[in-house]
Amino acid sequence: MRILITGGSGFVGRPLCRRLHDAGHELLVVSRSPSRAQALLPEGTEVRDSVLAFVDSAPEAIINLAGEPIADKRWSAAQKRRLIDSRLTVTRDLVTLCERMDTPPRVMISGSAMGYYGDQGDRDVTEQTPPQEEFAHRLCAEWESAALAAEPLGVRVVLLRTGLVLDAGGGTLAKLLLPFRLGLGGRLGSGRQYMPWIHREDWVSIALFLLERDDLAGPFNASAPHPVTNADFTRALAHHLHRPAVMAVPAGVLRLALGEMSRLLLTGARMRPARLEAAGFGFQYPTLDSALKAILGR
Protein backbone atom coordinates (compact mmCIF):
# COMPACT_ATOMS: atom_id res chain seq x y z
CA MET A 1 0.00 0.00 0.00
CA ARG A 2 0.90 3.65 -0.40
CA ILE A 3 0.64 5.01 3.13
CA LEU A 4 0.67 8.70 4.06
CA ILE A 5 2.06 9.35 7.55
CA THR A 6 2.11 12.57 9.54
CA GLY A 7 4.53 12.65 12.47
CA GLY A 8 6.53 9.91 10.81
CA SER A 9 9.90 11.11 12.10
CA GLY A 10 8.80 11.16 15.75
CA PHE A 11 9.37 8.72 18.60
CA VAL A 12 6.67 6.27 17.50
CA GLY A 13 6.68 7.29 13.84
CA ARG A 14 10.25 6.17 13.12
CA PRO A 15 9.87 2.50 14.13
CA LEU A 16 6.43 2.44 12.52
CA CYS A 17 7.91 3.62 9.22
CA ARG A 18 10.67 1.02 9.49
CA ARG A 19 8.17 -1.82 10.02
CA LEU A 20 5.95 -0.59 7.18
CA HIS A 21 8.96 -0.29 4.86
CA ASP A 22 10.17 -3.77 5.77
CA ALA A 23 6.68 -5.09 4.99
CA GLY A 24 6.92 -3.65 1.48
CA HIS A 25 4.68 -0.59 1.79
CA GLU A 26 5.40 2.70 0.00
CA LEU A 27 5.82 5.57 2.47
CA LEU A 28 4.73 9.19 2.03
CA VAL A 29 5.71 11.30 5.05
CA VAL A 30 4.71 14.85 5.96
CA SER A 31 7.35 16.85 7.84
CA ARG A 32 8.00 20.56 8.44
CA SER A 33 11.71 19.71 7.99
CA PRO A 34 11.87 17.33 5.00
CA SER A 35 15.66 17.07 4.83
CA ARG A 36 15.95 16.22 8.54
CA ALA A 37 13.12 13.70 8.32
CA GLN A 38 14.60 12.10 5.19
CA ALA A 39 17.79 11.29 7.13
CA LEU A 40 15.79 9.51 9.86
CA LEU A 41 13.47 7.47 7.65
CA PRO A 42 13.92 4.36 5.48
CA GLU A 43 15.47 4.73 2.05
CA GLY A 44 12.87 5.45 -0.59
CA THR A 45 10.52 7.35 1.72
CA GLU A 46 9.02 10.38 -0.03
CA VAL A 47 8.93 13.39 2.30
CA ARG A 48 7.05 16.64 1.62
CA ASP A 49 6.31 19.63 3.81
CA SER A 50 2.51 19.55 3.79
CA VAL A 51 -0.39 17.13 3.58
CA LEU A 52 -1.87 18.74 0.48
CA ALA A 53 1.46 18.41 -1.34
CA PHE A 54 0.52 14.72 -1.66
CA VAL A 55 -2.85 15.39 -3.30
CA ASP A 56 -1.70 13.74 -6.56
CA SER A 57 0.00 10.77 -4.86
CA ALA A 58 -3.21 8.81 -4.19
CA PRO A 59 -2.40 7.32 -0.75
CA GLU A 60 -4.38 4.17 0.04
CA ALA A 61 -4.09 4.61 3.82
CA ILE A 62 -3.31 7.40 6.28
CA ILE A 63 -1.67 7.28 9.72
CA ASN A 64 -2.00 10.61 11.52
CA LEU A 65 0.40 11.18 14.42
CA ALA A 66 1.13 14.91 14.12
CA GLY A 67 0.74 17.25 17.08
CA GLU A 68 2.80 19.45 19.39
CA PRO A 69 3.96 17.54 22.53
CA ILE A 70 1.43 18.07 25.30
CA ALA A 71 3.87 18.19 28.22
CA ASP A 72 6.70 20.35 26.89
CA LYS A 73 5.38 23.74 28.05
CA ARG A 74 3.14 25.12 30.79
CA TRP A 75 -0.50 25.34 29.68
CA SER A 76 -1.06 29.04 29.13
CA ALA A 77 -4.13 29.99 27.11
CA ALA A 78 -1.90 30.49 24.07
CA GLN A 79 -0.20 27.10 24.55
CA LYS A 80 -3.55 25.34 24.85
CA ARG A 81 -4.56 26.91 21.55
CA ARG A 82 -1.29 25.74 19.95
CA LEU A 83 -1.83 22.19 21.22
CA ILE A 84 -5.30 22.09 19.71
CA ASP A 85 -4.43 23.83 16.45
CA SER A 86 -1.35 21.65 15.83
CA ARG A 87 -3.64 18.62 15.79
CA LEU A 88 -6.73 20.04 14.11
CA THR A 89 -4.95 21.81 11.25
CA VAL A 90 -3.16 18.68 10.04
CA THR A 91 -6.19 16.44 10.58
CA ARG A 92 -8.50 18.78 8.68
CA ASP A 93 -5.96 18.94 5.85
CA LEU A 94 -6.06 15.14 5.72
CA VAL A 95 -9.85 15.22 5.39
CA THR A 96 -9.52 17.82 2.63
CA LEU A 97 -7.03 15.53 0.89
CA CYS A 98 -9.57 12.69 1.06
CA GLU A 99 -12.25 14.98 -0.40
CA ARG A 100 -10.05 15.87 -3.37
CA MET A 101 -9.18 12.28 -4.26
CA ASP A 102 -11.20 10.35 -6.84
CA THR A 103 -10.80 7.28 -4.64
CA PRO A 104 -10.30 8.20 -0.97
CA PRO A 105 -7.97 6.13 1.22
CA ARG A 106 -9.60 3.04 2.63
CA VAL A 107 -8.50 3.77 6.21
CA MET A 108 -7.22 6.57 8.43
CA ILE A 109 -5.64 5.70 11.76
CA SER A 110 -5.63 8.92 13.76
CA GLY A 111 -3.91 9.65 17.03
CA SER A 112 -5.60 10.41 20.32
CA ALA A 113 -4.54 9.79 23.91
CA MET A 114 -5.50 8.46 27.32
CA GLY A 115 -6.31 12.07 28.21
CA TYR A 116 -9.60 11.58 26.34
CA TYR A 117 -11.05 10.02 29.51
CA GLY A 118 -9.87 12.67 31.98
CA ASP A 119 -9.36 11.72 35.61
CA GLN A 120 -11.06 8.36 36.23
CA GLY A 121 -9.74 7.44 39.69
CA ASP A 122 -9.31 3.70 40.16
CA ARG A 123 -12.25 2.44 38.07
CA ASP A 124 -11.57 0.25 35.02
CA VAL A 125 -11.69 2.32 31.83
CA THR A 126 -12.64 0.82 28.48
CA GLU A 127 -13.51 2.48 25.19
CA GLN A 128 -17.11 2.77 26.44
CA THR A 129 -16.29 4.70 29.63
CA PRO A 130 -17.78 8.23 29.69
CA PRO A 131 -15.05 10.90 29.88
CA GLN A 132 -14.54 13.50 32.58
CA GLU A 133 -14.67 17.08 31.31
CA GLU A 134 -11.28 18.82 31.43
CA PHE A 135 -8.74 20.24 28.98
CA ALA A 136 -7.03 16.95 28.08
CA HIS A 137 -10.42 15.47 27.21
CA ARG A 138 -11.45 18.47 25.11
CA LEU A 139 -8.14 18.34 23.23
CA CYS A 140 -8.56 14.66 22.36
CA ALA A 141 -12.29 14.95 21.64
CA GLU A 142 -11.75 17.77 19.12
CA TRP A 143 -8.90 15.84 17.51
CA GLU A 144 -11.06 12.72 17.18
CA SER A 145 -14.02 14.70 15.86
CA ALA A 146 -11.84 16.24 13.14
CA ALA A 147 -10.70 12.76 12.04
CA LEU A 148 -14.22 11.35 12.03
CA ALA A 149 -15.15 13.90 9.34
CA ALA A 150 -13.50 11.46 6.88
CA GLU A 151 -16.08 8.74 7.58
CA PRO A 152 -18.82 10.16 5.30
CA LEU A 153 -16.27 10.00 2.47
CA GLY A 154 -16.08 6.21 2.86
CA VAL A 155 -12.87 6.16 4.92
CA ARG A 156 -12.64 3.70 7.81
CA VAL A 157 -11.50 5.84 10.74
CA VAL A 158 -9.63 4.31 13.70
CA LEU A 159 -8.88 6.41 16.79
CA LEU A 160 -5.85 5.35 18.84
CA ARG A 161 -6.11 6.48 22.47
CA THR A 162 -2.49 5.94 23.43
CA GLY A 163 -1.02 5.53 26.90
CA LEU A 164 2.53 6.44 27.92
CA VAL A 165 4.85 4.98 25.28
CA LEU A 166 7.91 3.26 26.75
CA ASP A 167 11.19 2.48 25.02
CA ALA A 168 14.79 3.63 25.00
CA GLY A 169 15.76 6.89 23.36
CA GLY A 170 12.70 9.02 24.00
CA GLY A 171 9.20 9.22 25.40
CA THR A 172 8.45 8.98 29.11
CA LEU A 173 11.57 7.02 30.06
CA ALA A 174 13.91 9.60 28.56
CA LYS A 175 12.74 12.09 31.19
CA LEU A 176 12.90 9.64 34.08
CA LEU A 177 16.09 7.64 33.65
CA LEU A 178 18.60 10.25 34.78
CA PRO A 179 16.92 11.17 38.11
CA PHE A 180 16.17 7.52 38.85
CA ARG A 181 19.75 6.47 38.07
CA LEU A 182 20.93 9.17 40.46
CA GLY A 183 18.68 7.77 43.18
CA LEU A 184 16.40 10.81 42.98
CA GLY A 185 13.33 9.04 41.65
CA GLY A 186 10.09 8.83 43.57
CA ARG A 187 6.34 8.86 43.36
CA LEU A 188 4.35 11.91 42.32
CA GLY A 189 1.75 13.14 44.78
CA SER A 190 -0.10 10.25 46.41
CA GLY A 191 1.18 7.79 43.80
CA ARG A 192 -2.32 6.28 43.56
CA GLN A 193 -3.04 7.73 40.11
CA TYR A 194 -2.97 5.19 37.28
CA MET A 195 -0.44 5.35 34.45
CA PRO A 196 -1.61 3.38 31.42
CA TRP A 197 1.47 2.52 29.38
CA ILE A 198 2.51 0.66 26.23
CA HIS A 199 5.84 -0.65 24.93
CA ARG A 200 6.70 1.12 21.68
CA GLU A 201 7.02 -2.17 19.78
CA ASP A 202 3.51 -3.17 20.86
CA TRP A 203 2.18 0.25 19.80
CA VAL A 204 3.65 -0.25 16.33
CA SER A 205 2.15 -3.75 16.16
CA ILE A 206 -1.25 -2.32 17.13
CA ALA A 207 -1.08 0.22 14.30
CA LEU A 208 -0.21 -2.52 11.78
CA PHE A 209 -2.97 -4.78 13.16
CA LEU A 210 -5.61 -2.05 12.79
CA LEU A 211 -4.31 -1.04 9.37
CA GLU A 212 -5.12 -4.48 7.99
CA ARG A 213 -8.37 -5.23 9.82
CA ASP A 214 -11.10 -3.80 7.60
CA ASP A 215 -13.74 -4.83 10.13
CA LEU A 216 -12.41 -2.56 12.91
CA ALA A 217 -13.17 1.14 13.31
CA GLY A 218 -13.70 3.73 16.02
CA PRO A 219 -11.78 4.16 19.29
CA PHE A 220 -9.16 1.70 20.58
CA ASN A 221 -7.19 1.98 23.81
CA ALA A 222 -3.55 1.58 22.81
CA SER A 223 -2.21 0.52 26.18
CA ALA A 224 -0.97 -2.67 27.82
CA PRO A 225 -3.55 -4.89 29.54
CA HIS A 226 -1.98 -4.31 32.97
CA PRO A 227 -1.96 -0.59 33.86
CA VAL A 228 -0.13 0.40 37.04
CA THR A 229 -0.28 3.20 39.56
CA ASN A 230 2.42 5.82 39.72
CA ALA A 231 3.71 4.23 42.94
CA ASP A 232 3.90 0.81 41.26
CA PHE A 233 5.66 2.30 38.24
CA THR A 234 8.17 4.05 40.51
CA ARG A 235 8.98 0.85 42.39
CA ALA A 236 9.33 -1.18 39.18
CA LEU A 237 11.63 1.31 37.46
CA ALA A 238 13.82 1.67 40.57
CA HIS A 239 14.02 -2.13 40.88
CA HIS A 240 15.17 -2.58 37.27
CA LEU A 241 17.76 0.17 37.69
CA HIS A 242 18.92 -1.21 41.05
CA ARG A 243 18.40 2.18 42.68
CA PRO A 244 16.38 3.39 45.67
CA ALA A 245 13.26 5.48 45.03
CA VAL A 246 12.31 6.82 48.43
CA MET A 247 11.73 10.44 47.47
CA ALA A 248 8.34 11.90 46.63
CA VAL A 249 7.21 15.12 44.97
CA PRO A 250 4.24 16.61 46.85
CA ALA A 251 1.17 17.36 44.75
CA GLY A 252 1.22 20.99 45.85
CA VAL A 253 4.74 21.49 44.55
CA LEU A 254 3.76 20.09 41.14
CA ARG A 255 0.66 22.29 40.99
CA LEU A 256 2.72 25.35 41.85
CA ALA A 257 5.41 24.53 39.30
CA LEU A 258 3.24 23.33 36.42
CA GLY A 259 -0.19 24.83 36.99
CA GLU A 260 -3.03 23.01 35.23
CA MET A 261 -0.54 20.83 33.35
CA SER A 262 0.22 19.08 36.67
CA ARG A 263 -2.98 17.10 36.10
CA LEU A 264 -1.05 15.02 33.56
CA LEU A 265 1.09 13.77 36.45
CA LEU A 266 -1.39 13.74 39.33
CA THR A 267 -4.44 12.16 37.70
CA GLY A 268 -4.93 9.20 35.41
CA ALA A 269 -7.10 6.39 34.12
CA ARG A 270 -6.97 2.64 34.68
CA MET A 271 -7.23 2.22 30.92
CA ARG A 272 -7.55 -1.27 29.47
CA PRO A 273 -7.38 -2.34 25.78
CA ALA A 274 -10.78 -4.03 25.81
CA ARG A 275 -11.53 -3.74 22.08
CA LEU A 276 -8.04 -4.82 20.99
CA GLU A 277 -8.19 -7.92 23.17
CA ALA A 278 -11.69 -8.72 21.92
CA ALA A 279 -10.37 -8.46 18.34
CA GLY A 280 -7.61 -10.97 19.12
CA PHE A 281 -4.56 -8.72 19.38
CA GLY A 282 -1.74 -10.28 21.39
CA PHE A 283 0.72 -8.16 23.37
CA GLN A 284 4.42 -8.98 23.30
CA TYR A 285 4.89 -6.97 26.54
CA PRO A 286 1.69 -7.29 28.60
CA THR A 287 3.29 -6.41 31.96
CA LEU A 288 5.45 -3.49 33.03
CA ASP A 289 8.10 -5.89 34.32
CA SER A 290 8.44 -7.55 30.90
CA ALA A 291 8.62 -4.19 29.15
CA LEU A 292 11.25 -2.68 31.47
CA LYS A 293 13.31 -5.85 31.36
CA ALA A 294 13.39 -5.70 27.57
CA ILE A 295 14.17 -1.98 27.43
CA LEU A 296 16.70 -1.66 30.22
CA GLY A 297 18.36 -5.01 29.62
CA ARG A 298 19.66 -4.00 26.19
Side-chain angles (χ1 to χ4, degrees):
M1 280 194 294
R2 254 183 330 278
I3 303 174
L4 175 61
I5 305 163
T6 69
S9 59
F11 181 60
V12 296
R14 292 193 306 273
L16 173 65
C17 286
R18 173 55 59 188
R19 289 270 295 273
L20 290 170
H21 174 268
D22 291 347
H25 298 291
E26 181 182 343
L27 304 183
L28 313 172
V29 170
V30 179
S31 173
R32 289 176 293 181
S33 303
S35 58
R36 175 184 173 276
Q38 194 81 63
L40 297 171
L41 296 169
E43 185 177 354
T45 301
E46 186 173 354
V47 185
R48 299 182 185 176
D49 63 2
S50 72
V51 167
L52 296 179
F54 283 110
V55 71
D56 296 324
S57 298
E60 299 163 271
I62 293 171
I63 302 176
N64 178 28
L65 307 176
E68 184 166 334
I70 194 171
D72 277 9
K73 297 179 183 178
R74 192 181 176 99
W75 288 353
S76 64
Q79 178 63 8
K80 285 183 177 181
R81 191 68 257 165
R82 281 191 291 269
L83 290 171
I84 293 171
D85 289 347
S86 68
R87 289 157 174 77
L88 298 192
T89 299
V90 172
T91 306
R92 287 168 177 164
D93 281 350
L94 289 169
V95 174
T96 299
L97 178 74
C98 294
E99 291 172 340
R100 294 183 181 179
M101 292 174 60
D102 293 335
T103 302
R106 75 185 208 203
V107 58
M108 177 161 67
I109 297 175
S110 193
S112 186
M114 61 186 185
Y116 174 87
Y117 299 105
D119 183 20
Q120 294 287 340
D122 61 0
R123 66 177 65 87
D124 276 345
V125 173
T126 72
E127 291 85 354
Q128 305 304 315
T129 300
Q132 297 294 319
E133 174 62 26
E134 55 185 274
F135 173 68
H137 163 69
R138 294 193 300 274
L139 174 67
C140 294
E142 289 191 45
W143 195 9
E144 292 184 7
S145 179
L148 289 169
E151 279 193 328
L153 305 173
V155 180
R156 175 172 64 94
V157 177
V158 175
L159 307 168
L160 271 188
R161 295 173 180 166
T162 300
L164 300 171
V165 180
L166 305 182
D167 207 346
T172 301
L173 283 181
K175 299 177 181 179
L176 295 177
L177 285 180
L178 179 59
F180 270 77
R181 281 177 170 148
L182 293 174
L184 301 176
R187 61 177 171 78
L188 303 177
S190 70
R192 293 194 295 271
Q193 66 274 27
Y194 271 85
M195 295 174 60
W197 61 275
I198 182 80
H199 192 293
R200 184 166 58 163
E201 290 184 18
D202 274 335
W203 188 94
V204 171
S205 295
I206 288 169
L208 296 177
F209 179 80
L210 293 171
L211 190 68
E212 299 293 342
R213 286 286 298 266
D214 292 336
D215 58 322
L216 299 178
F220 287 84
N221 291 342
S223 60
H226 299 288
V228 297
T229 65
N230 173 259
D232 290 337
F233 186 95
T234 297
R235 284 190 291 268
L237 181 55
H239 170 74
H240 281 273
L241 292 173
H242 309 290
R243 294 290 188 272
V246 295
M247 302 183 69
V249 183
V253 171
L254 288 170
R255 293 190 187 100
L256 183 63
L258 302 176
E260 185 182 359
M261 196 177 78
S262 64
R263 292 188 62 79
L264 292 177
L265 303 177
L266 296 173
T267 66
R270 195 177 186 178
M271 192 169 80
R272 299 189 183 276
R275 292 195 66 206
L276 280 169
E277 291 188 307
F281 180 80
F283 287 83
Q284 184 177 357
Y285 303 102
T287 67
L288 183 60
D289 185 66
S290 64
L292 292 177
K293 183 177 180 181
I295 296 166
L296 300 175
R298 293 174 188 167

